[in-house]
Amino acid sequence: MITGPELRQAWTIARLEIRRAFFSKRSFWIYILAIFPAIIFFGHAISLKYQEKRYASRGMITAAQMDSIAKGESIDRVVERLPAVVEDHRYEFRRGRRGPRGPEEERVEEEHRTVQYYDGKRRAWVFSRNGVVQEINIRQLKDFESEREAFAGVFQYFYLRLAIFFGCLGIFINLFRGEMMDKTLHFWFLIPVKRSVLLLGKYMAGFIAAAVIFSGGALLAWWGMLWPQDSSAVNAYLAGSGYAHLSRYLLAAVLGCLGYGSVFLAAGLLLRNPIIPAVVILIWEGINGFLPDILQKLSVLFYLQSVCPTPAPIENDVPPVLRLLIAPAEPVGPAMAVLGLLMVTAIVLFAAAQAVRKLEINYSTD
């Protein structure tokens, strides 16, 4: 049982270790993992803003005018009636075929034309063949609902499964294993504190660093997702469930650091080569969606996904059989997910504390 003075000792150790956890030369790539989704969303946002500005500079039509375009109409009349064209592309399609009475080739020519319009929110592609409108494709330039689904997919498929997983591997493995490689761990063992207190202090430092880095990366990506959207849609989202969604995403990121951090800290103490259990855990987490419900609940990822406000999207073109196989188990409530991960973390840290008490330093083998 950790006493009050021991907690203060652990916090002192954590403060000394935080700088190393944040700025270790072995961990610079962790920041790339953390901000990679933000780079994607901000890049997409810049692209949307550029398109919006470019389309608006070339002219806009009204929503009613866009909806008035009909199939079978002459494309020339459409352009004459709506001259504010964003883009206008023409090309001819020629193909030859054998004539019915001889080997001579008959030339078949088709003139295709694609005209694009913009009404301030939607884009319309008008496709014509031989001067007649054949198809009209109207899409929103900014689809906030799709952007939110994309964020949920990136967060759950990349951030939880890969970024936080490998980030915690890099941070927490180095807390003890890195000291052994640098041949400096014996200095910590010479200070007059229990080894379990030393373990707790190092874990606190790693957890604070990982939680700040990855929750900050998630917050930055969320902001990048909101930035290019219409202010009215964003304000309505924030006034409704927006901030609640954000808090649950951040909670999932923090809990991921809590759970994976304890596992990799213990692996660094118990095993000389912690990469092997890391690969095993990665495979187990990766096949989580294919496992029966009871086995899915033996995964950290299951509880992290239970905290997320939106389920990860599944592509529409996924075969029905595969869709059935990867169907997630019924999620538990956020409170149960938090409690479950806290219990797992406590058990793993207890095992790590037992291991660090028996740890003997031998730099010649480590």
Side-chain angles (χ1 to χ4, degrees), residues 206-259:
F207 170 69
I208 292 172
V212 170
I213 292 171
F214 287 105
S215 61
L219 178 61
L220 197 61
W222 189 75
W223 181 31
M225 181 263 296
L226 296 182
W227 178 41
Q229 304 301 321
D230 293 331
S231 58
S232 58
V234 172
N235 291 334
Y237 173 61
L238 296 179
S241 59
Y243 288 115
H245 285 185
L246 174 62
S247 63
R248 291 180 65 173
Y249 281 125
L250 296 181
L251 178 61
V254 170
L255 289 176
C257 298
L258 189 79

Short mmCIF file of all heavy atoms in Angstrom, two decimals, residues 206-259:
data_model
loop_
_atom_site.label_atom_id
_atom_site.label_comp_id
_atom_site.label_asym_id
_atom_site.label_seq_id
_atom_site.Cartn_x
_atom_site.Cartn_y
_atom_site.Cartn_z
N GLY A 206 5.49 8.79 -17.58
CA GLY A 206 5.15 8.29 -18.92
C GLY A 206 3.69 8.52 -19.26
O GLY A 206 3.36 8.90 -20.39
N PHE A 207 2.82 8.31 -18.27
CA PHE A 207 1.39 8.49 -18.51
C PHE A 207 1.07 9.96 -18.81
O PHE A 207 0.30 10.26 -19.73
CB PHE A 207 0.59 8.02 -17.31
CG PHE A 207 -0.87 8.39 -17.37
CD1 PHE A 207 -1.70 7.81 -18.31
CD2 PHE A 207 -1.39 9.35 -16.51
CE1 PHE A 207 -3.05 8.16 -18.39
CE2 PHE A 207 -2.72 9.71 -16.58
CZ PHE A 207 -3.55 9.11 -17.52
N ILE A 208 1.64 10.87 -18.04
CA ILE A 208 1.38 12.30 -18.28
C ILE A 208 1.86 12.70 -19.67
O ILE A 208 1.15 13.39 -20.41
CB ILE A 208 2.07 13.15 -17.19
CG1 ILE A 208 1.40 12.93 -15.84
CG2 ILE A 208 2.03 14.63 -17.56
CD1 ILE A 208 2.13 13.57 -14.67
N ALA A 209 3.05 12.24 -20.04
CA ALA A 209 3.58 12.58 -21.36
C ALA A 209 2.70 12.01 -22.47
O ALA A 209 2.32 12.72 -23.42
CB ALA A 209 5.01 12.07 -21.50
N ALA A 210 2.35 10.73 -22.36
CA ALA A 210 1.54 10.10 -23.40
C ALA A 210 0.15 10.73 -23.47
O ALA A 210 -0.37 10.98 -24.57
CB ALA A 210 1.43 8.60 -23.12
N ALA A 211 -0.45 10.99 -22.31
CA ALA A 211 -1.80 11.57 -22.31
C ALA A 211 -1.81 12.96 -22.92
O ALA A 211 -2.71 13.31 -23.69
CB ALA A 211 -2.33 11.61 -20.87
N VAL A 212 -0.81 13.77 -22.59
CA VAL A 212 -0.74 15.12 -23.16
C VAL A 212 -0.51 15.07 -24.67
O VAL A 212 -1.17 15.77 -25.45
CB VAL A 212 0.36 15.94 -22.46
CG1 VAL A 212 0.61 17.25 -23.20
CG2 VAL A 212 -0.01 16.22 -21.01
N ILE A 213 0.42 14.23 -25.09
CA ILE A 213 0.76 14.16 -26.52
C ILE A 213 -0.43 13.67 -27.34
O ILE A 213 -0.81 14.29 -28.35
CB ILE A 213 1.98 13.24 -26.73
CG1 ILE A 213 3.23 13.88 -26.14
CG2 ILE A 213 2.18 12.95 -28.22
CD1 ILE A 213 4.44 12.97 -26.12
N PHE A 214 -1.06 12.58 -26.91
CA PHE A 214 -2.09 11.98 -27.75
C PHE A 214 -3.46 12.64 -27.58
O PHE A 214 -4.23 12.71 -28.54
CB PHE A 214 -2.16 10.48 -27.50
CG PHE A 214 -0.99 9.74 -28.08
CD1 PHE A 214 0.03 9.28 -27.28
CD2 PHE A 214 -0.89 9.56 -29.44
CE1 PHE A 214 1.12 8.63 -27.82
CE2 PHE A 214 0.19 8.90 -30.00
CZ PHE A 214 1.20 8.44 -29.19
N SER A 215 -3.78 13.13 -26.39
CA SER A 215 -5.02 13.89 -26.28
C SER A 215 -4.88 15.22 -27.01
O SER A 215 -5.84 15.70 -27.64
CB SER A 215 -5.39 14.11 -24.81
OG SER A 215 -4.38 14.85 -24.14
N GLY A 216 -3.68 15.81 -26.97
CA GLY A 216 -3.45 17.03 -27.74
C GLY A 216 -3.55 16.79 -29.23
O GLY A 216 -4.12 17.60 -29.98
N GLY A 217 -3.01 15.65 -29.70
CA GLY A 217 -3.13 15.32 -31.11
C GLY A 217 -4.57 15.10 -31.53
O GLY A 217 -4.99 15.52 -32.61
N ALA A 218 -5.35 14.43 -30.67
CA ALA A 218 -6.77 14.20 -30.98
C ALA A 218 -7.53 15.52 -31.01
O ALA A 218 -8.39 15.74 -31.88
CB ALA A 218 -7.38 13.26 -29.94
N LEU A 219 -7.23 16.41 -30.07
CA LEU A 219 -7.89 17.72 -30.04
C LEU A 219 -7.56 18.52 -31.30
O LEU A 219 -8.43 19.17 -31.89
CB LEU A 219 -7.46 18.48 -28.79
CG LEU A 219 -8.03 19.90 -28.62
CD1 LEU A 219 -9.55 19.86 -28.54
CD2 LEU A 219 -7.45 20.56 -27.37
N LEU A 220 -6.31 18.47 -31.72
CA LEU A 220 -5.89 19.19 -32.91
C LEU A 220 -6.59 18.64 -34.16
O LEU A 220 -7.03 19.41 -35.03
CB LEU A 220 -4.37 19.10 -33.06
CG LEU A 220 -3.69 20.09 -33.99
CD1 LEU A 220 -3.91 21.52 -33.51
CD2 LEU A 220 -2.19 19.80 -34.07
N ALA A 221 -6.69 17.32 -34.25
CA ALA A 221 -7.38 16.71 -35.40
C ALA A 221 -8.86 17.07 -35.39
O ALA A 221 -9.46 17.32 -36.45
CB ALA A 221 -7.20 15.20 -35.37
N TRP A 222 -9.48 17.09 -34.22
CA TRP A 222 -10.90 17.46 -34.10
C TRP A 222 -11.12 18.90 -34.55
O TRP A 222 -12.09 19.20 -35.24
CB TRP A 222 -11.34 17.26 -32.65
CG TRP A 222 -12.81 17.38 -32.41
CD1 TRP A 222 -13.78 16.48 -32.71
CD2 TRP A 222 -13.48 18.48 -31.76
NE1 TRP A 222 -15.01 16.94 -32.30
CE2 TRP A 222 -14.85 18.16 -31.71
CE3 TRP A 222 -13.05 19.68 -31.21
CZ2 TRP A 222 -15.79 19.01 -31.15
CZ3 TRP A 222 -13.98 20.53 -30.65
CH2 TRP A 222 -15.34 20.19 -30.62
N TRP A 223 -10.21 19.76 -34.17
CA TRP A 223 -10.30 21.16 -34.60
C TRP A 223 -10.13 21.25 -36.12
O TRP A 223 -10.83 22.02 -36.79
CB TRP A 223 -9.23 21.98 -33.88
CG TRP A 223 -9.25 23.45 -34.23
CD1 TRP A 223 -10.32 24.20 -34.60
CD2 TRP A 223 -8.12 24.32 -34.26
NE1 TRP A 223 -9.94 25.50 -34.85
CE2 TRP A 223 -8.60 25.60 -34.65
CE3 TRP A 223 -6.77 24.16 -33.98
CZ2 TRP A 223 -7.75 26.69 -34.79
CZ3 TRP A 223 -5.93 25.25 -34.11
CH2 TRP A 223 -6.42 26.50 -34.51
N GLY A 224 -9.19 20.48 -36.67
CA GLY A 224 -9.01 20.48 -38.11
C GLY A 224 -10.24 19.98 -38.84
O GLY A 224 -10.53 20.42 -39.96
N MET A 225 -10.98 19.05 -38.22
CA MET A 225 -12.22 18.56 -38.82
C MET A 225 -13.30 19.65 -38.84
O MET A 225 -14.07 19.77 -39.79
CB MET A 225 -12.69 17.33 -38.05
CG MET A 225 -13.96 16.67 -38.57
SD MET A 225 -15.45 17.19 -37.69
CE MET A 225 -15.15 16.57 -36.04
N LEU A 226 -13.35 20.47 -37.79
CA LEU A 226 -14.38 21.51 -37.69
C LEU A 226 -14.05 22.77 -38.49
O LEU A 226 -14.95 23.47 -38.95
CB LEU A 226 -14.58 21.92 -36.22
CG LEU A 226 -15.11 20.87 -35.25
CD1 LEU A 226 -15.27 21.50 -33.87
CD2 LEU A 226 -16.44 20.30 -35.72
N TRP A 227 -12.77 23.05 -38.66
CA TRP A 227 -12.34 24.35 -39.18
C TRP A 227 -13.00 24.75 -40.51
O TRP A 227 -13.49 25.87 -40.65
CB TRP A 227 -10.81 24.36 -39.30
CG TRP A 227 -10.25 25.61 -39.86
CD1 TRP A 227 -10.64 26.90 -39.60
CD2 TRP A 227 -9.19 25.71 -40.81
NE1 TRP A 227 -9.88 27.79 -40.31
CE2 TRP A 227 -8.98 27.09 -41.07
CE3 TRP A 227 -8.38 24.78 -41.45
CZ2 TRP A 227 -8.01 27.54 -41.95
CZ3 TRP A 227 -7.40 25.23 -42.33
CH2 TRP A 227 -7.23 26.59 -42.57
N PRO A 228 -13.06 23.88 -41.53
CA PRO A 228 -13.58 24.34 -42.82
C PRO A 228 -15.10 24.32 -42.92
O PRO A 228 -15.66 24.76 -43.93
CB PRO A 228 -12.96 23.35 -43.81
CG PRO A 228 -12.89 22.08 -43.04
CD PRO A 228 -12.58 22.48 -41.62
N GLN A 229 -15.79 23.78 -41.91
CA GLN A 229 -17.23 23.61 -42.02
C GLN A 229 -17.97 24.94 -41.83
O GLN A 229 -17.43 25.90 -41.29
CB GLN A 229 -17.73 22.59 -40.99
CG GLN A 229 -17.03 21.25 -41.07
CD GLN A 229 -17.19 20.59 -42.42
OE1 GLN A 229 -18.25 20.65 -43.04
NE2 GLN A 229 -16.14 19.94 -42.89
N ASP A 230 -19.22 24.97 -42.28
CA ASP A 230 -20.04 26.17 -42.12
C ASP A 230 -20.23 26.48 -40.64
O ASP A 230 -20.48 25.58 -39.83
CB ASP A 230 -21.40 25.98 -42.78
CG ASP A 230 -21.30 25.88 -44.30
OD1 ASP A 230 -20.36 26.47 -44.85
OD2 ASP A 230 -22.14 25.20 -44.91
N SER A 231 -20.12 27.74 -40.30
CA SER A 231 -20.19 28.14 -38.89
C SER A 231 -21.53 27.77 -38.27
O SER A 231 -21.59 27.41 -37.09
CB SER A 231 -19.95 29.65 -38.76
OG SER A 231 -20.89 30.38 -39.52
N SER A 232 -22.62 27.84 -39.04
CA SER A 232 -23.93 27.50 -38.48
C SER A 232 -23.99 26.03 -38.10
O SER A 232 -24.51 25.67 -37.03
CB SER A 232 -25.03 27.83 -39.49
OG SER A 232 -24.81 27.13 -40.71
N ALA A 233 -23.44 25.16 -38.95
CA ALA A 233 -23.45 23.73 -38.65
C ALA A 233 -22.55 23.42 -37.45
O ALA A 233 -22.90 22.60 -36.59
CB ALA A 233 -23.00 22.93 -39.87
N VAL A 234 -21.41 24.08 -37.38
CA VAL A 234 -20.48 23.85 -36.27
C VAL A 234 -21.09 24.34 -34.96
O VAL A 234 -21.02 23.65 -33.93
CB VAL A 234 -19.14 24.55 -36.54
CG1 VAL A 234 -18.24 24.48 -35.31
CG2 VAL A 234 -18.44 23.93 -37.73
N ASN A 235 -21.71 25.51 -34.98
CA ASN A 235 -22.32 26.04 -33.75
C ASN A 235 -23.46 25.15 -33.27
O ASN A 235 -23.62 24.93 -32.06
CB ASN A 235 -22.83 27.46 -34.00
CG ASN A 235 -21.70 28.45 -34.19
OD1 ASN A 235 -20.59 28.24 -33.70
ND2 ASN A 235 -21.96 29.53 -34.91
N ALA A 236 -24.25 24.63 -34.20
CA ALA A 236 -25.34 23.74 -33.82
C ALA A 236 -24.78 22.44 -33.22
O ALA A 236 -25.32 21.92 -32.24
CB ALA A 236 -26.22 23.42 -35.03
N TYR A 237 -23.71 21.95 -33.79
CA TYR A 237 -23.08 20.73 -33.28
C TYR A 237 -22.50 20.95 -31.89
O TYR A 237 -22.69 20.12 -30.98
CB TYR A 237 -21.98 20.30 -34.26
CG TYR A 237 -21.14 19.14 -33.79
CD1 TYR A 237 -21.70 17.89 -33.53
CD2 TYR A 237 -19.76 19.29 -33.63
CE1 TYR A 237 -20.91 16.83 -33.11
CE2 TYR A 237 -18.97 18.23 -33.22
CZ TYR A 237 -19.55 17.01 -32.96
OH TYR A 237 -18.77 15.96 -32.54
N LEU A 238 -21.81 22.07 -31.70
CA LEU A 238 -21.22 22.36 -30.40
C LEU A 238 -22.28 22.63 -29.34
O LEU A 238 -22.12 22.26 -28.17
CB LEU A 238 -20.27 23.55 -30.50
CG LEU A 238 -19.03 23.36 -31.39
CD1 LEU A 238 -18.19 24.63 -31.42
CD2 LEU A 238 -18.19 22.18 -30.90
N ALA A 239 -23.37 23.26 -29.75
CA ALA A 239 -24.46 23.53 -28.80
C ALA A 239 -25.19 22.25 -28.41
O ALA A 239 -25.83 22.20 -27.36
CB ALA A 239 -25.44 24.54 -29.40
N GLY A 240 -25.09 21.24 -29.26
CA GLY A 240 -25.75 19.97 -28.96
C GLY A 240 -24.80 18.99 -28.28
O GLY A 240 -24.51 19.11 -27.09
N SER A 241 -24.30 18.06 -29.07
CA SER A 241 -23.47 16.98 -28.50
C SER A 241 -21.99 17.14 -28.79
O SER A 241 -21.20 16.24 -28.47
CB SER A 241 -23.95 15.63 -29.04
OG SER A 241 -23.86 15.62 -30.47
N GLY A 242 -21.59 18.26 -29.38
CA GLY A 242 -20.20 18.41 -29.82
C GLY A 242 -19.17 18.27 -28.72
O GLY A 242 -18.23 17.48 -28.82
N TYR A 243 -19.34 19.04 -27.65
CA TYR A 243 -18.35 19.00 -26.58
C TYR A 243 -18.38 17.67 -25.83
O TYR A 243 -17.35 17.20 -25.34
CB TYR A 243 -18.56 20.17 -25.62
CG TYR A 243 -18.17 21.50 -26.20
CD1 TYR A 243 -19.11 22.49 -26.44
CD2 TYR A 243 -16.84 21.77 -26.53
CE1 TYR A 243 -18.75 23.72 -26.98
CE2 TYR A 243 -16.47 22.99 -27.08
CZ TYR A 243 -17.43 23.96 -27.30
OH TYR A 243 -17.07 25.16 -27.85
N ALA A 244 -19.56 17.06 -25.74
CA ALA A 244 -19.65 15.73 -25.12
C ALA A 244 -18.88 14.70 -25.95
O ALA A 244 -18.18 13.84 -25.41
CB ALA A 244 -21.11 15.31 -24.97
N HIS A 245 -19.01 14.79 -27.28
CA HIS A 245 -18.26 13.89 -28.15
C HIS A 245 -16.75 14.11 -27.98
O HIS A 245 -15.98 13.14 -27.89
CB HIS A 245 -18.65 14.13 -29.61
CG HIS A 245 -19.99 13.56 -29.97
ND1 HIS A 245 -20.49 13.57 -31.24
CD2 HIS A 245 -20.93 12.96 -29.20
CE1 HIS A 245 -21.68 13.00 -31.25
NE2 HIS A 245 -21.98 12.63 -30.03
N LEU A 246 -16.35 15.37 -27.94
CA LEU A 246 -14.92 15.66 -27.79
C LEU A 246 -14.39 15.09 -26.48
O LEU A 246 -13.30 14.49 -26.45
CB LEU A 246 -14.70 17.17 -27.84
CG LEU A 246 -13.27 17.64 -27.53
CD1 LEU A 246 -12.29 17.09 -28.56
CD2 LEU A 246 -13.20 19.16 -27.49
N SER A 247 -15.13 15.28 -25.40
CA SER A 247 -14.66 14.79 -24.10
C SER A 247 -14.51 13.27 -24.10
O SER A 247 -13.58 12.73 -23.50
CB SER A 247 -15.62 15.23 -22.99
OG SER A 247 -16.91 14.67 -23.19
N ARG A 248 -15.39 12.57 -24.81
CA ARG A 248 -15.29 11.11 -24.85
C ARG A 248 -14.13 10.65 -25.73
O ARG A 248 -13.48 9.64 -25.43
CB ARG A 248 -16.61 10.51 -25.31
CG ARG A 248 -17.72 10.69 -24.26
CD ARG A 248 -19.03 10.09 -24.68
NE ARG A 248 -18.98 8.65 -24.83
CZ ARG A 248 -20.05 7.89 -25.05
NH1 ARG A 248 -21.25 8.46 -25.14
NH2 ARG A 248 -19.94 6.59 -25.18
N TYR A 249 -13.87 11.38 -26.80
CA TYR A 249 -12.69 11.05 -27.61
C TYR A 249 -11.41 11.25 -26.79
O TYR A 249 -10.49 10.42 -26.82
CB TYR A 249 -12.64 11.91 -28.87
CG TYR A 249 -13.56 11.45 -29.98
CD1 TYR A 249 -14.50 12.30 -30.53
CD2 TYR A 249 -13.47 10.16 -30.49
CE1 TYR A 249 -15.34 11.89 -31.56
CE2 TYR A 249 -14.31 9.73 -31.51
CZ TYR A 249 -15.24 10.60 -32.04
OH TYR A 249 -16.07 10.18 -33.05
N LEU A 250 -11.34 12.37 -26.07
CA LEU A 250 -10.16 12.63 -25.25
C LEU A 250 -10.03 11.61 -24.13
O LEU A 250 -8.92 11.16 -23.80
CB LEU A 250 -10.23 14.05 -24.68
CG LEU A 250 -10.20 15.20 -25.69
CD1 LEU A 250 -10.25 16.54 -24.98
CD2 LEU A 250 -8.97 15.12 -26.57
N LEU A 251 -11.16 11.22 -23.55
CA LEU A 251 -11.13 10.20 -22.50
C LEU A 251 -10.63 8.87 -23.05
O LEU A 251 -9.83 8.18 -22.39
CB LEU A 251 -12.54 10.03 -21.91
CG LEU A 251 -12.69 8.95 -20.82
CD1 LEU A 251 -11.80 9.28 -19.62
CD2 LEU A 251 -14.15 8.82 -20.39
N ALA A 252 -11.06 8.52 -24.25
CA ALA A 252 -10.58 7.27 -24.87
C ALA A 252 -9.08 7.33 -25.10
O ALA A 252 -8.37 6.33 -24.88
CB ALA A 252 -11.32 7.02 -26.18
N ALA A 253 -8.57 8.48 -25.54
CA ALA A 253 -7.13 8.61 -25.76
C ALA A 253 -6.36 8.48 -24.44
O ALA A 253 -5.34 7.78 -24.37
CB ALA A 253 -6.83 9.96 -26.42
N VAL A 254 -6.86 9.12 -23.39
CA VAL A 254 -6.19 9.05 -22.09
C VAL A 254 -6.23 7.64 -21.53
O VAL A 254 -5.23 7.12 -21.01
CB VAL A 254 -6.84 10.06 -21.12
CG1 VAL A 254 -6.32 9.85 -19.70
CG2 VAL A 254 -6.57 11.49 -21.56
N LEU A 255 -7.38 6.98 -21.65
CA LEU A 255 -7.48 5.61 -21.15
C LEU A 255 -6.60 4.65 -21.95
O LEU A 255 -6.06 3.69 -21.40
CB LEU A 255 -8.94 5.14 -21.20
CG LEU A 255 -9.90 5.79 -20.20
CD1 LEU A 255 -11.32 5.31 -20.44
CD2 LEU A 255 -9.47 5.49 -18.78
N GLY A 256 -6.47 4.92 -23.24
CA GLY A 256 -5.56 4.10 -24.04
C GLY A 256 -4.13 4.21 -23.54
O GLY A 256 -3.41 3.21 -23.44
N CYS A 257 -3.71 5.43 -23.21
CA CYS A 257 -2.37 5.62 -22.65
C CYS A 257 -2.24 4.94 -21.30
O CYS A 257 -1.19 4.36 -20.97
CB CYS A 257 -2.08 7.12 -22.51
SG CYS A 257 -2.08 8.03 -24.07
N LEU A 258 -3.32 4.97 -20.51
CA LEU A 258 -3.31 4.34 -19.19
C LEU A 258 -3.15 2.83 -19.31
O LEU A 258 -2.29 2.22 -18.64
CB LEU A 258 -4.61 4.67 -18.47
CG LEU A 258 -4.71 4.30 -16.99
CD1 LEU A 258 -3.97 5.32 -16.14
CD2 LEU A 258 -6.18 4.25 -16.56
N GLY A 259 -3.96 2.21 -20.17
CA GLY A 259 -3.94 0.75 -20.29
C GLY A 259 -2.71 0.23 -21.00
O GLY A 259 -1.98 -0.63 -20.48
#
